[in-house]
Amino acid sequence: MRTRLVVTFVVVALISAVTATALAYRDARTAVLRRTQDAAVNDVRTRVTAVAADFDLPPDQRSLARFAARVSDGLGARIVVVRYQDLVAVSDPLADTEGRITVELRSAVRAGDGTRFQRVTWRDEPYLVVGMPVTYADGDRRFSGLEVFAITGLRAERDDTAALLDSVRAGILPVVVLAAVLALLAAGTVLRPVRKLGRATRELAEGDLGSRVAVKGHDELADLARTFNETADALQASDARLREQEAKARRFVADVSHELRTPLAAMTMVATVLEEDADQLPPDAARAARTVGVETARLSRLVEDLMEISRFDANAIRLNAAETELADTVRASLALRGWTDRVEVRLDEGVRAVVDRRRVDVIVANLVGNALRHGAPPVTVTLGTRAGAGGEWVTVEVADRGPGLPPEARERVFDRFYKADAARTRSAADAGGQGSGLGTAIALENARLHGGTIDVAEGPEGGAVFTLRLPLRRTGEDAE
């Protein structure tokens, strides 16, 4: 912006200087030429009138030459040409006058319309030619047939106007330099508050809601700074309210979940007893007892997941990381849930990384449980490493041969409580049966806690492929 402002100032100053120079040159040149023309016309008219008073007509060649000489003597260095019918006399016999007296001027003088003048260029030199007819002084202004032309050089006038033009042109450079200096000063004055406002805006965009700018003066920039500060104040107040509401919501979820644990524990014990004795109950009572057991287990899982999510939201989760053999961790997770015979594994041995083993177990259990519940066999778990941005990464791929997920579902599958199919009880499964609808969200939070992520895509042979990526860190390296 500074460059554009300086260039604009300089261009405006240059255009103004050139325009002023052109106008000054035109006016000066016109004034000089007009003064010369008026003086020449008056001198020629006065001198011709004085000489013609005692001149006898018709003249011969000798008398015509004397007439031309007398007129020329009274006009200084001007060349005088006198014509009478076919006779022509020149005050300077060596002068070439044919190229300087035009046909148009001769015709105008012969027409008897009074004194005429014309500027001509002959051999790259400017001249002023004044012509007039000599008339009888008996009151009716009859044309005597005598024509007088006076040729005056305009070299001095040309040099004067050229010198004026050179002096004005020489003044353009200082004007442009001065305009550039003034533009830099103006740019500094105008852009300094703009830069401060831009810096404050960037700080605000980066999360510093306390960023403000000083308000100076009462111009438009001051109004803009004042508006920015008011906007930042409103944004900060709104952010504070939202944070307070968010904190209250997290506390509410955590408190509710905590308060539900005690009655749920009691309900779980009662449901367990009822399920154990269900075979001794009537069919309807047995079915109701089993339903109560299933739903109580689901409600317990929902409470546990809500508490886990609330801990993530409160940034109260910390990794208990240690160097772990990942192939053993995946196998142990499958064996714990009885999925070893239902899942095909392709695990690279010897892959060790610094991770929280319990949280990796939660991720694997959620992804595999999701594939078993909503996909179709075979379900495949693949463990390996690959190079990528930032170094080496551990990858765990969980693939099935089910119907897969449509694109809109893949974009939202990690949202909390999102259900890809209304007929399903949830969008993501976890370690034990029906879950809370938070399984994939919790898995993703655990992956992010390790500095990794989880992606979902369509498999090459159909079905869904969930890919866990974790940075391959070993003992001695920094771990989050």
Side-chain angles (χ1 to χ4, degrees):
M1 188 174 178
R2 177 190 296 272
T3 302
R4 292 197 298 269
L5 190 59
V6 172
V7 170
T8 301
F9 264 77
V10 171
V11 169
V12 170
L14 184 60
I15 292 175
S16 301
V18 170
T19 303
T21 300
L23 294 175
Y25 174 73
R26 185 194 66 181
D27 293 342
R29 182 173 180 272
T30 301
V32 169
L33 292 177
R34 181 172 297 167
R35 184 177 64 249
T36 302
Q37 290 166 183
D38 293 344
V41 169
N42 290 332
D43 290 346
V44 170
R45 183 183 296 117
T46 302
R47 184 60 182 170
V48 170
T49 301
V51 174
D54 55 355
F55 184 68
D56 296 329
L57 293 173
D60 56 14
Q61 184 65 42
R62 182 177 296 178
S63 62
L64 197 64
R66 285 197 303 270
F67 183 85
R70 291 180 62 189
V71 173
S72 178
D73 291 341
L75 295 178
R78 296 185 179 94
I79 299 172
V80 176
V81 179
V82 182
R83 302 175 66 91
Y84 183 82
Q85 296 180 359
D86 294 334
L87 297 178
V88 178
V90 181
S91 61
D92 183 0
L94 300 179
D96 183 3
T97 61
E98 291 298 324
R100 286 179 271 188
I101 302 175
T102 64
V103 176
E104 293 81 2
L105 182 60
R106 289 175 182 174
S107 300
V109 172
R110 187 169 294 129
D113 294 334
T115 306
R116 297 288 182 175
F117 64 87
Q118 186 178 39
R119 290 193 298 270
V120 297
T121 300
W122 183 73
R123 294 181 181 178
D124 297 329
E125 293 291 336
Y127 293 92
L128 174 66
V129 183
V130 179
M132 63 174 293
V134 177
T135 59
Y136 292 105
D138 54 3
D140 57 359
R141 296 188 60 83
R142 291 180 296 111
F143 182 43
S144 66
L146 193 63
E147 303 169 6
V148 181
F149 299 91
I151 302 173
T152 305
L154 296 178
R155 176 184 294 182
E157 287 75 10
R158 181 193 63 184
D159 294 342
D160 291 342
T161 55
L164 176 62
L165 179 62
D166 291 339
S167 63
V168 175
R169 186 184 297 146
I172 292 178
L173 181 59
V175 169
V176 171
V177 173
L178 180 61
V181 173
L182 293 177
L184 288 173
L185 295 176
T189 303
V190 173
L191 296 182
R192 190 177 298 112
V194 173
R195 285 197 300 270
K196 292 180 180 179
L197 184 60
R199 183 165 54 250
T201 303
R202 288 191 296 271
E203 293 173 354
L204 190 66
E206 292 170 357
D208 183 7
L209 299 183
S211 178
R212 300 292 186 275
V213 292
V215 179
K216 298 180 180 179
H218 302 281
D219 55 8
E220 290 79 0
L221 290 175
D223 292 340
L224 181 60
R226 193 175 298 107
T227 302
F228 172 83
N229 290 340
E230 292 172 356
T231 303
D233 290 339
L235 184 61
Q236 190 173 29
S238 177
D239 179 75
R241 288 194 299 271
L242 290 175
R243 290 179 182 274
E244 183 180 0
Q245 293 173 1
E246 184 180 4
K248 289 180 178 179
R250 285 199 300 267
R251 285 195 301 270
F252 175 77
V253 172
D255 293 344
V256 169
S257 301
H258 181 75
E259 292 299 325
L260 287 175
R261 296 182 74 178
T262 300
L264 278 175
M267 292 173 60
T268 299
M269 288 188 296
V270 173
T272 301
V273 173
L274 289 176
E275 283 187 290
E276 290 176 353
D277 296 337
D279 294 337
Q280 303 175 11
L281 298 174
D284 291 341
R287 186 162 48 253
R290 294 188 179 95
T291 300
V292 169
V294 171
E295 293 303 324
T296 301
R298 183 183 179 190
L299 185 58
S300 298
R301 185 60 183 176
L302 173 61
V303 170
E304 293 296 330
D305 285 348
L306 285 174
M307 293 189 67
E308 184 76 356
I309 284 291
S310 66
R311 284 192 289 268
F312 276 114
D313 290 342
N315 293 321
I317 301 294
R318 293 293 180 269
L319 285 178
N320 184 19
E323 191 166 86
T324 304
E325 173 66 48
L326 295 177
D328 292 343
T329 301
V330 173
R331 278 192 289 264
S333 180
L334 299 178
L336 179 64
R337 294 161 180 85
W339 294 339
T340 302
D341 296 334
R342 302 174 59 187
V343 176
E344 178 183 344
V345 295
R346 301 170 185 171
L347 309 177
D348 289 351
E349 302 295 336
V351 179
R352 301 180 64 84
V354 176
V355 296
D356 188 327
R357 182 180 181 126
R358 184 182 70 83
R359 297 192 177 280
V360 172
D361 171 74
V362 171
I363 298 172
V364 172
N366 274 284
L367 298 182
V368 174
N370 188 60
L372 290 173
R373 181 167 298 104
H374 301 302
V379 174
T380 305
V381 179
T382 304
L383 169 67
T385 60
R386 67 180 62 172
E392 276 194 293
W393 294 78
V394 177
T395 61
V396 179
E397 292 185 355
V398 178
D400 63 71
R401 298 296 185 272
L405 293 170
E408 62 274 10
R410 288 199 296 268
E411 294 177 359
R412 300 187 57 193
V413 71
F414 296 103
D415 292 351
R416 298 174 184 181
F417 299 108
Y418 175 72
K419 290 178 171 54
D421 188 340
R424 298 176 180 175
T425 58
R426 54 176 290 178
S427 65
D430 59 333
Q434 292 182 351
S436 61
L438 297 170
T440 50
I442 292 175
L444 180 60
E445 292 293 345
N446 279 297
R448 288 173 175 170
L449 199 61
H450 286 83
T453 186
I454 302 176
D455 300 324
V456 59
E458 184 178 1
E461 300 179 5
V465 178
F466 286 81
T467 304
L468 166 67
R469 291 182 176 85
L470 300 177
L472 183 58
R473 297 191 181 96
R474 297 181 175 86
T475 301
E477 299 179 7
D478 292 334
E480 295 183 7

